[in-house]
Amino acid sequence: MIKVGIVGGTGYTGVELLRLLAQHPGVSVEAITSRSEAGVKVTDMYPNLRGHYDGLAFSEPDAGVLARMDAVFFATPHGVAHALAGDLLARGTRVIDLSADFRLRDIAEWEDWYGQTHGAPELLEGAVYGLPELHREAIKKAQLVAVPGCYPTAVQLGFLPLLKAGMIDPSQLIADCKTGVTGAGRGAKVGSLLAEASESLKAYAVSGHRHLPEIRQGLIAAHDGEVNLTFVPHLAPMIRGIHATLYGQLVAEPEADLQALFETWYADEPFVDVMPAGSHPETRSVKGNNVCRLAVHRPGDGNTVVVLSVIDNLVKGASGQAIQNLNLMFGLDEHLGLQAPALMP
Amino acid sequence: MIKVGIVGGTGYTGVELLRLLAQHPGVSVEAITSRSEAGVKVTDMYPNLRGHYDGLAFSEPDAGVLARMDAVFFATPHGVAHALAGDLLARGTRVIDLSADFRLRDIAEWEDWYGQTHGAPELLEGAVYGLPELHREAIKKAQLVAVPGCYPTAVQLGFLPLLKAGMIDPSQLIADCKTGVTGAGRGAKVGSLLAEASESLKAYAVSGHRHLPEIRQGLIAAHDGEVNLTFVPHLAPMIRGIHATLYGQLVAEPEADLQALFETWYADEPFVDVMPAGSHPETRSVKGNNVCRLAVHRPGDGNTVVVLSVIDNLVKGASGQAIQNLNLMFGLDEHLGLQAPALMP
Amino acid sequence: MIKVGIVGGTGYTGVELLRLLAQHPGVSVEAITSRSEAGVKVTDMYPNLRGHYDGLAFSEPDAGVLARMDAVFFATPHGVAHALAGDLLARGTRVIDLSADFRLRDIAEWEDWYGQTHGAPELLEGAVYGLPELHREAIKKAQLVAVPGCYPTAVQLGFLPLLKAGMIDPSQLIADCKTGVTGAGRGAKVGSLLAEASESLKAYAVSGHRHLPEIRQGLIAAHDGEVNLTFVPHLAPMIRGIHATLYGQLVAEPEADLQALFETWYADEPFVDVMPAGSHPETRSVKGNNVCRLAVHRPGDGNTVVVLSVIDNLVKGASGQAIQNLNLMFGLDEHLGLQAPALMP
Amino acid sequence: MIKVGIVGGTGYTGVELLRLLAQHPGVSVEAITSRSEAGVKVTDMYPNLRGHYDGLAFSEPDAGVLARMDAVFFATPHGVAHALAGDLLARGTRVIDLSADFRLRDIAEWEDWYGQTHGAPELLEGAVYGLPELHREAIKKAQLVAVPGCYPTAVQLGFLPLLKAGMIDPSQLIADCKTGVTGAGRGAKVGSLLAEASESLKAYAVSGHRHLPEIRQGLIAAHDGEVNLTFVPHLAPMIRGIHATLYGQLVAEPEADLQALFETWYADEPFVDVMPAGSHPETRSVKGNNVCRLAVHRPGDGNTVVVLSVIDNLVKGASGQAIQNLNLMFGLDEHLGLQAPALMP
C-alpha cells in the first residue's frame, strides 16, 4: 500500500483526489493538511466522503509526518510546493505538484506571470512535466512531477498531433476555451456565485492568462520552434468541464487523413479517446472521468482545421492526471483509481 | 460471472445500470434491448461508456437470448415486464423490475393508477418489494423483485423509524418532495427542456401521483394500520437528486431521542446514512451514489418532526437499488458496483 | 418627479431597484450610496444599466444629500436604517426600508433574532408593515414603511384567505419554502458558489430562521390568535424565485369553494394572481415581475389544503414591493415601474 | 395604434414578441396564429402574460384577418412566409419575417441550405435585410423585412467595423460562437432536455450551419469582396444569450486605435454598446434586452484581433430586432418597446 499525503486538501483538487483515491486499491491516504481547517473532519466538509474517510481530519502541515509518506500531492496555491518540496524529496518522498510551481522551465517567465520570486529553482531540472502522453518514460523515473494545468492539458493534446506532423502553421494558432466554474477554485469570489455565473457566458483574461506560457512552452517543444498562440478562455455556467476549440491553418494539403493521423497518434493512449469522424464531444461525456476526448474537423475542406478537445478540468485537468502520474511513478497499472465511467446524465 | 440482460436500455435507468455495472466485478452485461435503437452501438448513444462496452449494441428483445441470462433487469415502461417476466422466471432467470409493474399488491389499485389491465397477476404473490432495509431476507430468496420508485424510497426510509416506533400520528403525514428532471425520464417533452425547466421550480400532480399508492402501501405495512399522506412532488432545476422533506406530528413526548432512534434503526444499513444532529443533507452529497442520507429535526422542540431525506433518483431511487437487490439475490457483497463516492462538486 | 436615494446600493435589492426604477416615469434616482464602492460608476458594476444611469456613481452616505430626497430606500444590512431613518424622517423624507429593521413589532424578539440592540425603538410605532394586500390604507399615509421579507410575503399571501376565513387550524401550519440563491445576497460565501449550489437542493435553518417571527406576527394578526407554524426553507439551484408550498388542516367542511374564496379575496389586488383551479404556478412565471401567483388545492378531497405561492424574491419579495409601497405613499398609480411581464423563457 | 398580427406564435420568438410588445405604447396585437394550438388562450400557454393578453387566443391562420393588420410578424418555420407574404404585401400589410425565408439573396444557395424550393423568388428584390446598423434607411421604406438570424447579428456587428475599415484579412476570419438552448427553439428534442444540455458544453454543426451563408453574404457585402469564414457554433448550458468570439488577422499596423474605431463606428447606434477598452461583456448583461455589447482586444499587441460580441438571441437576435425594424418602418422612435434594462442577476 502506497502511503500518500495531500497538502492543501480543502480545495476542489484536494477533494477530487480523495474521491478518486477512495477507489484506488493500492493507495492509502494517511494525511491531509489545511492550516485553515486543521482539526475538522474531512467528512464534515465533504459529506460525499462519509463512509470512506471517516477517521481522517485535516491537520497542520507537519514536515515529519509528510516525510513518512511515499508520495505527497500538493493541491496548494502557488509557492507552497516551492517551500516544502525540497525537503520531502531529500527524504525520499516523491512529490506530485498540482500547482504551477514547477510547470515553467523559464524562471523569469514564471516570476513574471506569478508575481513572486521562484522559491526552488534548484529543483526545476529534476521536475518532469506530467503529461503522460508526452513524457511517460520520464514520469516513470521522476521524483518530482509538475501536473499540467487544465487548459494546457486540453489544448496540448489537441494540437500535438498536428504540430508534430508539421501540418499546421505554428504562427497562427487559436485556442478558444470554455471552462466550468470549478476552474476558479473554491474561493468565495463574487464572480463565481451562482447568481453571477449561471445563465451567462463571458470571456476573461483575453489580454493574458497564466496558462498561456505553459501552453506555449509545450507547443514550442512539440514543434521545435516558435509558435504564436492566441488563447481566449471563457467562463461557462457549469460546474466541471473544459471544451477547447482549436483552430489551425494547414500548411499544405495533408497527404494523410487527419482523422487517421489522430487515431494513430493516440492509438495506445489509455486516456485519450479520438472520437469517430464528424463527432462533437460533449464535456459531460468526461464528467468525473480522466479521459480527454478529441474530434478533428476540416469544415468545407478548407484551410482551417478545427480540433474539439474536452476534459474534466478537475480530473484529466488536475487530480486524475495527478493519480495517473502516481501510477506511472510507482509502476502501477496506469488505470488504477481512474476506471469509473463518466457520470452521464 | 453473473450474466445479465437489460430490457429497455436506452432510458436513464438503463444507462445508469451500465455505468454502475461497469465497476461491478461479478457481473457481465451480455444483452441490452431496445426496439427503437436496435443495431445502434451503446457507446454511440452514451459516449461516456466508450472503452467500457465497445462491443455491445442494442438488440431487439429476444426471449431466447434473455432466458440464457442469470438475471434480467427491466428498465421499461409499464406493462412490459408483465408481458415478459413470466416466461423468464419459468426458465430460471431472475427478474429485477425497475418499472412499477409489480410494486403494488392491490391489482385494482394498480389498474386504476396505471390505466391498463394488470398483465401478470399470477406473478404478484412471488414478487418481493425490493427495499432492502425492509425486506432483505425475502430479497435474498426472491426470483422476482420489484424495485421501489424513487420518491417511495426517499419517503419510506425517512418515515419508517418514526412510524415503526409509533411516534407520529399516521393520519397526518406530509411529504413535500423535490426531484431533478431525470425523474421525468429521457422522453422529449417540452416541460423537460432546459429552456423550460431551468431557472424555475414548480409543484406538479398535487391532485395525485402514481407514487402515492406505493408509498401508502409501504407506510401502512410499517405502521400496521391506515395512514393519511399528503404527497406533493416538485420539479427542481437540476439533473439528479430527490430531496424529501417529511412532516409528522408527535403523538406523545418521545422518551428516546429522535436522533438516537434513527441511528439505531439504521445502524447496520450499508446504504442509509443518518447524519449528525442538526445536519441538512444536500442532494449533491449522493450524486451518482447509492446512499440515502437522513437528518431528523424537531424545530423549536415543538410537536412537528421534520425528516430530511436525500437520494440520487437514478441510483438509490432506481438502478443502484436494483444492483443492491441483485447482489442480495446472488449472495454477493451488497456493496459491489456501488462503492464509488458521490461526485461533489 | 419624485427624487429618491438608495442607501446600500451594491447588493441585489439595490440593483433591482435601479432596474425597475429605470422604467418608472415619475421617479428620478438622485443618489446611491455604498461605503465600499464610493466613486465607482453604477454601470461599471452593473453593465446591464449602461445607457440608463450613465452619470450615477456610488457615493459615501451623506445625511445632507439624502435629506434632500423625497424618499430614501434602505437596501442595507440590519441596523443601518435604525441609525439613519430618524433623521431623515425628521426632515420630511419618507423612508422605505427593505431590511428587517422595522418589521417586528416586538423589540425583544427583534433583538433576540438579530443579535443586536434595537437602534430606533421610538420609530416603531410609526412604521407600517408594507404588505399592500393587508395595509394599503396605512401605507398611503406612512412616512416609514418596513418592506416585508421575501418568504413572509409568499407565505402570508398564501395563508391569509384561509386564516381570515377561519377555515384552517392555526395550530398546525406548515410552510415548505424553496428559494433561489439571490435570497442569500451578493456576499461572497462558499455556499452560494455555482460549484456548490447548482445541481443540488438542501434545506437550511430548519431549527429556526429570522423570517419565522415575521411570518408568525403577520399570521397572528390575521387570525387574531396564536398560531403554530413549522417553516422549512430550502435552497434551490436557481437565481431568482420563491416557491412556498403551504399546508393547512381544514377545521370544518368548507361551505364555500376554496378556489372562490381565494378569487374573491384577491379580486381587486393588482399584484396577486389567483390561477385557475388545478394550476401549478412556476417561479419563472414571475421572473423579474411583481406578481404573486397562487393556486389552492385539496388533494383527494381530504382534510389537507395545499396552497402554492410563487414570487420573485427580488421583486415582490423586495424591490418591486418597495416600489409598490412608494407608489402608494406618493399617490401614484400602483403599477408604475412594475408593468413589464415576467421574462419567460 | 398600429395593429399587428403574429403568425406562428407558440415558439420562443412568438412569446418574446408578445412580452416586448406588451410594453410598446404604439402597437396592439390583434391576432396570433397557431395551427396546433388554435383556440388555446395565450395566457394558458404563457402564464407570464396573464394580465397582459387576457382576451387573446391562438387562432387558425386566416388571410382575411391578417390582411386587416398594419403589419404581420412571421415567427414560423422556413417556407411559411414564402407562402403567405405575397398576398399580405399585395393588400398593403407590411411583413416582418423572423424566419430565414428572405435572408439570402441567392435563391440557389437558399434552396441548397434549406432543402426545399424557394417559394417566393419574386419577392426577394423588395426584401430588405433588417440589420438597422447597415440598412436603416432601406428599412424605413421597406414593405418586407427579413430579420437577421441570431448568430449573423452577433457576428456581423462584431466584424463590420474591422472589415469596412479594411483592417483585417478577409480570407482568415473565425467566429467561435456560443448560444443558449433557446436557439434550438421550443421543439421537444432530446438534445435540448435539461438532463442532456445542462452541465455540459459542446460544439455542433462544425461541418456547416445554415447561418454560415447568411453571415458570409453580409461580410462579403461589407468588405466588397470574397471572405473566408470558419464558423463554429457551440451549445452552452443556459436559456438565453449568444457570445461570439471573433478572430481576425490584422493586415497592417492599424493607424487608428481599434477601440476608437469601434466607438466611432457605433457612436449613434441606439442598440450597439461598445464597452470600455479591456472589457469582457457577459451575455447576462443583455438578458431580455435589445442591445449588442462589443469589446475589442488585441492580445499581446500581436497580429490577432479578438472581438467579443454578446446579444440575447431572442431579442437583438430575433424578436427585439423585429420590433426595432417595425419602429423604423412606421416612423416611430426606434426605442419603443425596447427600453427595459436587462435582467441581472
Side-chain angles (χ1 to χ4, degrees):
Chain A
M1 211 63 151
I2 298 165
K3 289 183 293 180
V4 307
I6 300 172
V7 179
T10 59
Y12 290 141
T13 54
V15 64
E16 190 71 354
L17 282 169
L18 292 176
R19 183 183 73 83
L20 293 166
L21 291 173
Q23 298 301 296
H24 194 302
V27 168
S28 166
V29 180
E30 304 276 324
I32 183 162
T33 79
S34 163
R35 290 194 191 281
S36 61
E37 305 291 335
V40 173
K41 290 173 61 182
V42 163
T43 54
D44 284 353
M45 179 168 269
Y46 292 112
N48 62 318
L49 300 176
R50 286 170 63 88
H52 295 277
Y53 294 96
D54 289 346
L56 192 66
F58 295 107
S59 60
E60 293 281 349
D62 178 312
V65 171
L66 293 174
R68 287 199 292 275
M69 303 295 139
D70 299 306
V72 168
F73 293 100
F74 283 85
T76 43
H78 315 305
V80 178
H82 283 171
L84 301 180
D87 189 44
L88 291 172
L89 291 167
R91 298 165 92 175
T93 296
R94 274 174 265 200
V95 170
I96 302 171
D97 179 23
L98 286 81
S99 84
D101 279 8
F102 298 104
R103 291 182 195 157
L104 298 187
R105 312 303 303 175
D106 184 324
I107 292 171
E109 190 164 39
W110 191 92
E111 295 182 339
D112 190 37
W113 282 93
Y114 291 91
Q116 59 192 82
T117 304
H118 197 292
E122 72 283 3
L123 300 179
L124 259 188
E125 187 172 339
V128 174
Y129 188 71
L131 194 64
E133 292 77 9
L134 274 183
H135 304 296
R136 184 171 281 106
E137 293 313 310
I139 292 166
K140 288 180 182 173
K141 290 172 276 186
Q143 301 297 311
L144 168 58
V145 163
V147 182
C150 48
Y151 287 129
T153 297
V155 174
Q156 289 179 83
L157 292 178
F159 271 135
L160 283 175
L162 294 167
L163 275 180
K164 287 273 196 185
M167 297 187 69
I168 54 173
D169 179 354
S171 75
Q172 289 203 39
L173 305 177
I174 290 174
D176 187 291
C177 297
K178 302 88 179 169
T179 187
V181 296
T182 48
R186 195 167 169 270
K189 286 171 281 191
V190 169
S192 300
L193 296 177
L194 190 153
E196 300 286 318
S198 75
E199 281 302 308
S200 195
L201 195 142
K202 65 167 180 178
Y204 65 100
V206 176
S207 60
H209 184 284
R210 287 173 174 175
H211 285 175
L212 176 60
E214 182 183 342
I215 300 171
R216 288 187 70 253
Q217 169 182 282
L219 299 185
I220 288 168
H223 160 61
D224 202 13
E226 190 54 41
V227 303
N228 196 323
L229 171 71
T230 300
F231 168 50
V232 178
H234 299 74
L235 184 66
M238 57 191 189
I239 298 174
R240 291 167 179 252
I242 283 183
H243 188 293
T245 312
L246 311 176
Y247 301 89
Q249 301 300 316
L250 288 171
V251 288
E253 187 60 27
E255 294 180 26
D257 178 17
L258 293 173
Q259 177 72 18
L261 173 74
F262 272 75
E263 289 182 1
T264 304
W265 195 267
Y266 288 121
D268 298 326
E269 282 300 333
F271 293 109
V272 180
D273 175 24
V274 178
M275 297 189 72
S279 293
H280 299 95
E282 304 176 78
T283 62
R284 66 179 185 137
S285 77
V286 293
K287 190 163 53 179
N289 181 270
N290 198 51
V291 170
C292 172
R293 295 196 206 280
L294 296 172
V296 58
H297 292 256
R298 190 182 170 195
D301 287 327
N303 204 47
T304 305
V305 183
V306 180
V307 181
L308 312 175
S309 172
V310 302
I311 61 169
D312 184 323
N313 55 305
L314 294 180
V315 190
K316 185 63 176 170
S319 304
Q321 188 144 265
I323 292 168
Q324 188 181 358
N325 274 285
L326 174 126
N327 289 338
L328 288 167
M329 293 164 84
F330 287 85
L332 305 176
D333 176 346
E334 204 167 331
H335 293 84
L336 291 186
L338 303 171
Q339 297 102 324
L343 189 72
M344 178 172 154
Chain B
M1 214 59 153
I2 297 166
K3 289 184 293 181
V4 307
I6 300 172
V7 180
T10 59
Y12 289 140
T13 54
V15 66
E16 190 71 355
L17 282 169
L18 291 176
R19 183 183 72 85
L20 293 166
L21 290 173
Q23 297 302 296
H24 194 302
V27 168
S28 167
V29 179
E30 304 276 324
I32 184 162
T33 79
S34 163
R35 291 195 189 280
S36 61
E37 305 291 335
V40 174
K41 290 174 61 182
V42 163
T43 54
D44 284 354
M45 180 169 268
Y46 293 112
N48 61 319
L49 300 177
R50 286 170 64 88
H52 294 277
Y53 294 96
D54 289 346
L56 192 66
F58 296 107
S59 60
E60 293 280 349
D62 177 312
V65 170
L66 293 173
R68 288 199 292 275
M69 302 295 139
D70 298 306
V72 168
F73 294 98
F74 282 85
T76 43
H78 314 306
V80 177
H82 282 170
L84 300 179
D87 188 44
L88 290 171
L89 292 167
R91 299 164 95 176
T93 295
R94 274 174 265 199
V95 171
I96 302 171
D97 179 23
L98 285 81
S99 84
D101 279 8
F102 297 103
R103 291 183 195 156
L104 299 186
R105 312 303 302 174
D106 184 324
I107 292 171
E109 192 165 38
W110 191 93
E111 295 182 339
D112 191 35
W113 283 93
Y114 291 90
Q116 60 192 82
T117 303
H118 197 292
E122 73 284 3
L123 299 179
L124 259 187
E125 188 171 338
V128 173
Y129 188 72
L131 194 64
E133 292 77 8
L134 274 183
H135 304 297
R136 182 170 282 107
E137 293 313 310
I139 293 166
K140 288 179 182 173
K141 289 172 278 185
Q143 301 298 311
L144 168 59
V145 162
V147 181
C150 49
Y151 287 129
T153 297
V155 174
Q156 289 178 83
L157 292 177
F159 270 136
L160 282 175
L162 294 167
L163 274 180
K164 286 274 196 183
M167 296 188 70
I168 54 172
D169 179 355
S171 75
Q172 289 203 40
L173 305 177
I174 290 173
D176 187 291
C177 296
K178 302 89 179 170
T179 188
V181 296
T182 48
R186 196 167 169 269
K189 286 171 280 190
V190 169
S192 300
L193 296 176
L194 190 153
E196 301 284 319
S198 75
E199 280 303 306
S200 194
L201 194 143
K202 66 168 181 177
Y204 66 99
V206 177
S207 61
H209 183 283
R210 285 172 175 177
H211 284 174
L212 177 60
E214 182 183 343
I215 301 171
R216 287 186 70 253
Q217 170 182 283
L219 299 183
I220 287 168
H223 161 61
D224 203 13
E226 190 52 43
V227 303
N228 196 323
L229 170 71
T230 301
F231 168 51
V232 178
H234 299 73
L235 185 66
M238 56 191 189
I239 299 174
R240 289 167 179 252
I242 282 182
H243 188 293
T245 313
L246 311 175
Y247 300 89
Q249 302 299 316
L250 288 171
V251 289
E253 187 59 29
E255 293 179 27
D257 178 18
L258 292 172
Q259 177 72 20
L261 174 73
F262 272 75
E263 289 182 0
T264 304
W265 194 266
Y266 288 120
D268 298 327
E269 281 300 333
F271 292 109
V272 180
D273 175 24
V274 178
M275 298 190 71
S279 293
H280 299 95
E282 303 175 78
T283 62
R284 66 179 184 137
S285 76
V286 294
K287 191 163 52 180
N289 180 269
N290 198 49
V291 170
C292 171
R293 294 196 207 280
L294 295 172
V296 57
H297 292 256
R298 190 183 170 193
D301 288 327
N303 204 48
T304 305
V305 183
V306 179
V307 181
L308 312 174
S309 172
V310 302
I311 61 170
D312 184 322
N313 55 303
L314 294 180
V315 190
K316 184 64 175 169
S319 304
Q321 188 145 265
I323 292 168
Q324 189 181 357
N325 275 283
L326 174 126
N327 288 339
L328 289 167
M329 293 164 84
F330 285 86
L332 304 175
D333 177 347
E334 203 167 333
H335 293 84
L336 290 186
L338 304 171
Q339 296 103 324
L343 188 73
M344 177 174 155
Chain C
M1 212 62 151
I2 297 167
K3 291 185 292 182
V4 307
I6 299 172
V7 180
T10 59
Y12 290 140
T13 55
V15 64
E16 191 70 356
L17 282 168
L18 290 176
R19 183 183 72 85
L20 293 166
L21 290 173
Q23 297 301 298
H24 195 302
V27 167
S28 167
V29 179
E30 304 276 324
I32 183 162
T33 80
S34 164
R35 290 195 190 280
S36 61
E37 304 291 336
V40 174
K41 289 173 64 182
V42 164
T43 53
D44 284 354
M45 180 168 269
Y46 292 112
N48 61 318
L49 300 177
R50 285 170 64 87
H52 294 279
Y53 293 96
D54 289 345
L56 192 67
F58 294 108
S59 59
E60 293 280 349
D62 178 312
V65 170
L66 293 173
R68 288 199 293 274
M69 303 294 139
D70 299 306
V72 168
F73 293 99
F74 282 85
T76 44
H78 314 305
V80 177
H82 282 170
L84 300 180
D87 189 44
L88 290 171
L89 291 167
R91 297 164 96 176
T93 295
R94 274 174 263 200
V95 170
I96 301 171
D97 179 23
L98 286 80
S99 85
D101 279 8
F102 297 104
R103 290 182 195 157
L104 298 187
R105 312 304 302 176
D106 184 323
I107 292 170
E109 192 165 36
W110 192 92
E111 294 182 340
D112 191 35
W113 283 93
Y114 290 91
Q116 60 191 83
T117 303
H118 197 292
E122 73 283 2
L123 298 180
L124 259 187
E125 188 171 339
V128 174
Y129 188 71
L131 193 64
E133 292 77 8
L134 273 183
H135 303 297
R136 185 170 280 107
E137 294 312 311
I139 292 166
K140 288 180 181 173
K141 289 172 278 186
Q143 301 297 311
L144 168 58
V145 162
V147 182
C150 49
Y151 287 129
T153 297
V155 174
Q156 290 180 81
L157 292 178
F159 270 137
L160 282 175
L162 294 168
L163 275 180
K164 287 273 197 184
M167 297 188 69
I168 54 172
D169 179 355
S171 75
Q172 289 204 39
L173 304 177
I174 290 172
D176 187 292
C177 296
K178 302 89 179 170
T179 188
V181 296
T182 47
R186 196 167 169 270
K189 286 171 281 191
V190 169
S192 301
L193 296 176
L194 189 152
E196 301 284 320
S198 75
E199 279 304 306
S200 194
L201 195 143
K202 66 167 180 177
Y204 65 100
V206 177
S207 62
H209 183 285
R210 287 173 174 176
H211 284 175
L212 176 61
E214 182 183 342
I215 300 171
R216 287 187 70 254
Q217 170 183 282
L219 299 184
I220 287 168
H223 161 60
D224 202 14
E226 190 52 44
V227 304
N228 197 322
L229 171 71
T230 301
F231 168 51
V232 177
H234 299 74
L235 185 66
M238 57 190 188
I239 299 174
R240 291 167 178 251
I242 282 181
H243 189 293
T245 313
L246 310 175
Y247 301 88
Q249 302 300 316
L250 288 170
V251 288
E253 186 59 30
E255 293 179 26
D257 177 18
L258 293 172
Q259 178 72 20
L261 174 74
F262 272 75
E263 289 182 1
T264 304
W265 193 267
Y266 288 120
D268 298 327
E269 281 300 332
F271 292 108
V272 180
D273 175 25
V274 178
M275 296 189 72
S279 293
H280 299 96
E282 303 175 78
T283 63
R284 67 179 183 137
S285 77
V286 295
K287 191 163 52 179
N289 180 269
N290 199 50
V291 169
C292 172
R293 295 197 206 278
L294 296 172
V296 56
H297 292 256
R298 190 182 169 194
D301 288 327
N303 204 47
T304 304
V305 183
V306 179
V307 181
L308 312 174
S309 171
V310 302
I311 61 170
D312 184 323
N313 56 303
L314 294 180
V315 190
K316 185 63 177 172
S319 304
Q321 187 144 267
I323 292 168
Q324 188 182 359
N325 275 284
L326 174 127
N327 289 338
L328 289 167
M329 293 164 84
F330 285 86
L332 305 175
D333 177 347
E334 204 167 331
H335 293 84
L336 291 185
L338 303 171
Q339 296 103 325
L343 188 73
M344 177 174 155
Chain D
M1 211 63 154
I2 297 166
K3 289 184 293 180
V4 307
I6 300 171
V7 179
T10 59
Y12 290 141
T13 54
V15 65
E16 191 70 355
L17 282 169
L18 291 176
R19 184 183 72 83
L20 293 166
L21 290 173
Q23 298 301 298
H24 194 302
V27 167
S28 167
V29 179
E30 304 276 324
I32 183 161
T33 78
S34 163
R35 289 193 191 281
S36 62
E37 304 292 335
V40 174
K41 289 174 62 181
V42 163
T43 54
D44 284 353
M45 179 168 268
Y46 292 112
N48 63 319
L49 300 178
R50 286 170 63 87
H52 294 277
Y53 294 96
D54 289 345
L56 192 67
F58 295 107
S59 60
E60 293 281 348
D62 178 313
V65 170
L66 293 174
R68 287 198 292 275
M69 302 295 138
D70 298 306
V72 168
F73 294 99
F74 283 85
T76 44
H78 314 305
V80 178
H82 281 170
L84 300 180
D87 188 44
L88 291 171
L89 291 168
R91 299 165 92 173
T93 295
R94 275 175 263 201
V95 170
I96 302 170
D97 179 23
L98 286 81
S99 85
D101 279 8
F102 298 103
R103 290 182 195 157
L104 298 187
R105 312 303 302 175
D106 183 323
I107 291 170
E109 192 164 38
W110 191 93
E111 294 181 341
D112 191 36
W113 282 94
Y114 291 91
Q116 61 192 81
T117 304
H118 197 292
E122 73 283 3
L123 299 179
L124 259 187
E125 188 172 338
V128 174
Y129 188 70
L131 194 64
E133 293 78 9
L134 274 183
H135 304 297
R136 183 170 281 107
E137 294 312 310
I139 292 166
K140 287 180 180 173
K141 290 173 276 186
Q143 301 297 310
L144 168 59
V145 162
V147 181
C150 49
Y151 287 129
T153 297
V155 174
Q156 290 179 81
L157 292 178
F159 270 136
L160 282 176
L162 294 167
L163 275 181
K164 287 273 197 184
M167 297 188 68
I168 54 173
D169 179 353
S171 75
Q172 289 202 39
L173 305 177
I174 290 174
D176 187 291
C177 296
K178 302 88 178 169
T179 187
V181 295
T182 48
R186 195 167 168 269
K189 286 171 280 192
V190 168
S192 301
L193 296 177
L194 189 152
E196 301 285 319
S198 75
E199 280 303 307
S200 195
L201 194 141
K202 65 167 180 178
Y204 65 100
V206 176
S207 61
H209 184 284
R210 288 174 173 174
H211 284 175
L212 177 59
E214 182 183 342
I215 301 171
R216 288 187 69 254
Q217 169 182 283
L219 299 184
I220 287 168
H223 161 61
D224 203 12
E226 189 52 42
V227 303
N228 196 323
L229 170 71
T230 301
F231 168 51
V232 178
H234 299 74
L235 184 66
M238 57 190 188
I239 299 174
R240 290 168 179 250
I242 282 181
H243 188 295
T245 312
L246 310 176
Y247 301 88
Q249 303 300 316
L250 288 170
V251 287
E253 186 60 26
E255 295 180 25
D257 177 18
L258 292 172
Q259 177 73 19
L261 174 74
F262 273 75
E263 289 183 1
T264 304
W265 194 267
Y266 288 122
D268 298 326
E269 281 300 332
F271 293 109
V272 180
D273 175 26
V274 178
M275 296 190 71
S279 293
H280 299 95
E282 304 174 78
T283 62
R284 66 178 184 136
S285 77
V286 294
K287 190 162 54 179
N289 180 269
N290 198 52
V291 170
C292 172
R293 295 196 206 280
L294 295 172
V296 58
H297 292 256
R298 189 183 170 194
D301 287 327
N303 204 47
T304 305
V305 183
V306 179
V307 181
L308 312 175
S309 171
V310 302
I311 61 169
D312 184 324
N313 56 304
L314 294 180
V315 190
K316 184 63 176 171
S319 304
Q321 188 144 266
I323 293 169
Q324 188 181 356
N325 275 284
L326 174 126
N327 288 338
L328 289 168
M329 294 164 84
F330 285 87
L332 304 175
D333 177 346
E334 204 167 330
H335 293 84
L336 291 185
L338 303 171
Q339 297 103 324
L343 188 73
M344 177 173 155

